Amino acid sequence: MRFLSLIISTFTIFYVSALSSLSQCAPVYVALHQQNTDKLKNILRLVSDPVSPQYGNWLTSKKIHEIIDPPDIQQTLVMSWINEYSTHNIKNHGDAISFCARQSSLVDMFQIPIIFDKGNLVLNKYSIPDNLSHIIDFVEMYVSKDTWRIKQETHASSIVDDRYFGLEPMQSLYSVPQTVINTTIKTAAIEFQGNQGYTNVDMNMQRVLNGMTKSGVVKDIGGNVGVDVESELDIQMLSMANGNTELWYWNNPYWLYSFAVEFEKTLEKPNIISLSWGWSERNQCDIIDCVNIDSKQYVSRVNVEFLKMALQGTTIVVSSGDAGAPGRTNEECSKNNPINPVFPGSSPYVLSVGATYVVNDNSTHDYKTPLCQNNTCTTGATEGAVSYDHVGWTAGGGFDAYHNATPWWQESAVKNYVTSGVILPPLTNFNIHGRAYPDIAAVGHNCPTVVMGQLGAVDGTSCSAPLVGGLLTYVWNELWNSHNIKLGFANPLLYHIQENCPECFRDIKTGYNWCTEGECCGNPNYFGFSATDGYDPVAGLGTPNINKIADYIKNKIFR
C-alpha cells in the first residue's frame, strides 16, 4: 500500500509539473531569410578600418534593417500565421520575429511531439508550414547542452606563478592607468542557458580585497536568481578591470541567435560585451534544434547578427575555449576529428581572447591591497601560453571551419604566420584560408573570485575574456576623448596598432595548443599549433600594454 501511494504521489508530482510546463509562456525567436548581407560586410570594412575616412561612422539599427530585411509581404505572411495562435508580446524586428506563447500552444503551432524530460516539455523537432519555408530559416526556442565548465581545481608546474592575479598584478603587467574613467562606457557580462547569477555582496567583497570602492551592477537583464561560478567570475573580472565604468549582467535562456535578437531590440545597449561561452563550430546542432538547417547555416546566421552588432559600434569579446585546438568534442585526442574550432570564439566579428599564465621569476612587489598582502599575488613580468602540462587545461585557438578567405584586417598577420616556417598541422586538419583566432590574450590562471563569501582561484578563458573586456574601456576612453570616435569593432584597430607599434603588445613567442583539458596529444603538430614571433593562433597578437596603446591612439594613429 505504501509502495502504491509512492507511485501515485510520484505520478501526481510529474503530472502537476507537466501541466505547469505546458502553461509556461516560452520565448520564441523566428529567423527570417535576410538579403544583401554582403553589403553589410563591405560597409563594416569602411567604418572599422582606422585608415578609412569613414572610420567610426557606425550605422543605426534602422539603416541596417533597410538593407537586410526581407520584403514586407514576407514579414506579413509570417506575422499572420503567428497571430492565428494564442501568442503574446509579438515583435517584428524586420529580419526576425519574437513572441511568447504557452508551451501547449507551441505544440499545436509547430506540431511538436510531446516529450517530457524531468517533467519539462522538450520544445524540439518542430515543423513550420510549407508556405513559409522559403521565408523562415529556423526557430530558436530550445537548448539541449551545457557548453562550458569552470576550472576550480587545476595543477601548476614549477614555472607557473601560482598566486592570485588581482588588480595590482594586472595594472603592473598590462601597464594599466590607475585612474577612474569618467567617460560613460557600459560593459556587460553575457550568460546563457539559464545560468543562475551572481551577488553584489560577493562582487564587492572581491572589490574590497582589490582595494577598490564598493559598486554595483547597474542593470540586470534576463534574471539573476541564484549563484553560479561562471557568472560570479565573469562579473567580478569585468568589474576588476573596467576602470569603474558602468556594469551590466545579461542572462539569456537559449543560445546565440536568440541573444542577438534580444540585443537588437534593446534600445539602450552596452558598448562592450563579454561572452565566456562556446562550443564546436561543427556541432552547434548539439545545442539548438536543427530542423531545417545544419551547424554551418546556424553559424552563418549568428555571424550576420554579430556583424549587425559590430556595425552599430558594439565591441564583442569572446573566450577562445579551454580545451586547446582539439576542443571539447575531442578531449581524447582522436585522429578522426583532430582540430575543432570553437564558436563564437572563431567568429570574424568578435575579439577572440586566449589565455596566459604568469611565469614564476621570484621577483617582488610592494603591493598594498588586502588581496595581495594577505593571500599573495603574482609578481612576474613574463607570460606563457596556457597548456595542459603547465596549468591543467589549454587555451583554444586555430582557424574557423567555414570561411573561404582570411578577414582583411588579419590577412597580413596570418600570412606571416603560415609562411614563417613554423610546423603546421596537415592541411586536411584545418582551414588554412579561414579566420585565425584568438586575436589577443590575457592571464587566465588563478583569477580571484568570491563565491558565497569564499575567496577562491578560478581558471579559464572565462577569466581572460572579461579581463580584456574591462581593459578595452581604457582604449575606448582614449579613442573617444582624443578623436570623438567610439571603439566599436576593435579588431582592425588592434591589428593596425600591433603592425605599427609592436611594443604595444607583449609577444608570447613560445607555447602550443595541441593539448586539451585532460592530456597533451601525441604527434603534437597533428592536433594543434605552435606559437612563434608575431601573430599566432595560440596567443594571438599577445597581451596588451594599455598605456602604450592609449598613447599610440592619442598621438600617432591619424598622423
Side-chain angles (χ1 to χ4, degrees):
M1 184 70 176
R2 186 177 181 184
F3 178 66
L4 179 59
S5 297
L6 180 60
I7 293 176
I8 293 172
S9 296
T10 302
F11 175 78
T12 301
I13 291 170
F14 173 80
Y15 179 72
V16 171
S17 176
L19 287 178
S20 175
S21 173
L22 285 168
S23 65
Q24 292 175 3
C25 195
V28 179
Y29 302 86
V30 181
L32 305 186
H33 191 69
Q34 296 166 322
Q35 57 185 351
N36 302 320
T37 56
D38 284 342
K39 288 186 179 180
L40 293 188
K41 296 174 185 177
N42 294 334
I43 294 171
L44 181 64
R45 178 165 186 169
L46 289 175
V47 300
S48 65
D49 186 345
V51 302
S52 166
Q54 297 185 44
Y55 179 59
N57 293 334
W58 309 112
L59 271 62
T60 63
S61 176
K62 180 181 178 181
K63 180 61 178 178
I64 291 170
H65 282 282
E66 288 174 356
I67 297 170
I68 204 169
D69 287 353
D72 289 346
I73 184 63
Q74 294 185 355
Q75 299 175 42
T76 301
L77 283 171
V78 179
M79 287 291 289
S80 297
W81 170 63
I82 292 172
N83 280 308
E84 290 176 7
Y85 297 87
S86 180
T87 52
H88 310 279
N89 302 325
I90 304 171
K91 294 183 180 179
N92 182 1
H93 311 287
D95 61 347
I97 298 173
S98 63
F99 63 91
C100 175
R102 291 184 177 183
Q103 294 183 343
S104 54
S105 296
L106 295 176
V107 168
D108 183 31
M109 183 177 184
F110 290 101
Q111 298 298 296
I112 297 172
I114 298 178
I115 301 172
F116 287 96
D117 180 22
K118 299 178 182 178
N120 295 311
L121 181 65
V122 179
L123 292 173
N124 68 348
K125 299 183 179 178
Y126 66 86
S127 299
I128 56 176
D130 290 341
N131 68 314
L132 299 178
S133 60
H134 66 294
I135 305 173
I136 297 175
D137 285 343
F138 62 88
V139 179
E140 186 161 304
M141 55 181 165
Y142 170 79
V143 288
S144 63
K145 195 175 187 70
D146 185 3
T147 57
W148 219 238
R149 296 188 299 272
I150 291 293
K151 286 151 287 301
Q152 292 175 272
E153 296 181 8
T154 61
H155 66 255
S157 67
S158 59
I159 70 169
V160 177
D161 192 332
D162 204 32
R163 296 172 290 179
Y164 286 118
F165 186 71
L167 176 66
E168 287 180 295
M170 182 196 76
Q171 291 173 331
S172 174
L173 193 63
Y174 299 141
S175 298
V176 182
Q178 297 185 30
T179 56
V180 174
I181 295 174
N182 294 319
T183 307
T184 299
I185 305 170
K186 298 180 282 291
T187 60
I190 313 299
E191 309 297 340
F192 294 92
Q193 302 179 9
N195 256 28
Q196 291 180 309
Y198 69 95
T199 71
N200 274 308
V201 172
D202 285 342
M203 184 186 74
N204 279 316
M205 180 176 174
Q206 197 253 27
R207 288 178 65 87
V208 170
L209 286 169
N210 275 307
M212 304 170 72
T213 58
K214 291 184 178 181
S215 185
V217 173
V218 172
K219 184 174 289 190
D220 283 311
I221 298 176
N224 176 36
V225 295
V227 172
D228 67 85
V229 179
E230 176 67 67
S231 296
E232 293 271 34
L233 172 66
D234 290 348
I235 209 77
Q236 290 178 33
M237 290 303 106
L238 199 52
S239 168
M240 186 179 87
N242 75 355
N244 286 310
T245 56
E246 192 171 306
L247 184 61
W248 293 19
Y249 177 82
W250 195 314
N251 195 348
N252 186 73
Y254 300 146
W255 195 220
L256 301 166
Y257 175 72
S258 54
F259 162 70
V261 174
E262 286 294 326
F263 190 90
E264 175 69 12
K265 74 181 187 182
T266 303
L267 295 179
E268 182 187 10
K269 296 176 172 65
N271 305 108
I272 300 171
I273 63 174
S274 174
L275 289 74
S276 296
W277 292 70
W279 193 246
S280 167
E281 210 175 33
R282 300 186 186 95
N283 296 85
Q284 292 296 299
C285 292
D286 289 351
I287 305 169
I288 57 122
D289 186 16
C290 290
V291 169
N292 53 338
I293 59 167
D294 55 23
S295 289
K296 181 178 181 179
Q297 290 168 304
Y298 185 78
V299 166
S300 177
R301 180 54 181 258
V302 171
N303 274 332
V304 174
E305 300 306 317
F306 285 171
L307 165 61
K308 289 159 56 182
M309 293 163 67
L311 275 168
Q312 294 177 70
T314 301
T315 307
I316 311 170
V317 181
V318 180
S319 301
S320 71
D322 294 350
R328 282 196 170 143
T329 54
N330 191 22
E331 296 270 21
E332 70 283 0
C333 299
S334 169
K335 287 189 176 181
N336 295 328
N337 200 24
I339 296 175
N340 299 278
V342 170
F343 189 77
S346 60
S347 169
Y349 305 110
V350 310
L351 184 72
S352 184
V353 182
T356 63
Y357 61 84
V358 178
V359 176
N360 188 7
D361 65 2
N362 297 314
S363 60
T364 60
H365 272 279
D366 185 23
Y367 289 142
K368 305 297 184 183
T369 61
L371 175 72
C372 295
Q373 288 189 337
N374 299 333
N375 298 282
T376 70
C377 290
T378 60
T379 55
T382 307
E383 295 170 86
V386 161
S387 59
Y388 173 79
D389 46 353
H390 293 311
V391 297
W393 60 282
T394 311
F399 292 72
D400 92 285
Y402 299 132
H403 280 86
N404 296 319
T406 303
W408 61 271
W409 38 266
Q410 66 167 189
E411 189 173 11
S412 175
V414 174
K415 181 180 180 181
N416 289 340
Y417 174 74
V418 299
T419 60
S420 66
V422 66
I423 299 175
L424 298 171
L427 294 182
T428 53
N429 290 5
F430 77 104
N431 176 21
I432 196 170
H433 302 294
R435 181 267 206 265
Y437 75 103
D439 300 301
I440 195 172
V443 168
H445 178 61
N446 275 15
C447 303
T449 308
V450 176
V451 181
M452 300 295 287
Q454 298 298 313
L455 174 66
V458 183
D459 272 35
T461 51
S462 290
C463 168
S464 57
L467 279 179
V468 168
L471 292 173
L472 285 177
T473 59
Y474 294 93
V475 180
W476 206 104
N477 185 61
E478 188 60 59
L479 190 61
W480 179 256
N481 287 336
S482 296
H483 307 289
N484 203 32
I485 294 174
K486 297 179 181 179
L487 176 60
F489 182 47
N491 299 30
L493 174 66
L494 294 178
Y495 278 79
H496 173 83
I497 291 175
Q498 191 276 338
E499 185 176 7
N500 293 279
C501 177
E503 66 273 16
C504 287
F505 294 84
R506 177 180 289 109
D507 191 4
I508 311 300
K509 300 180 180 181
T510 59
Y512 39 82
N513 58 16
W514 53 66
C515 308
T516 67
E517 293 168 300
E519 61 181 300
C520 285
C521 302
N523 189 11
N525 293 111
Y526 193 83
F527 291 93
F529 304 88
S530 302
T532 189
D533 292 355
Y535 176 86
D536 54 67
V538 176
L541 300 171
T543 58
N545 184 310
I546 298 300
N547 269 325
K548 289 183 178 179
I549 291 173
D551 179 70
Y552 185 88
I553 289 172
K554 182 178 182 179
N555 297 309
K556 301 176 184 178
I557 189 168
F558 298 127
R559 296 181 182 178

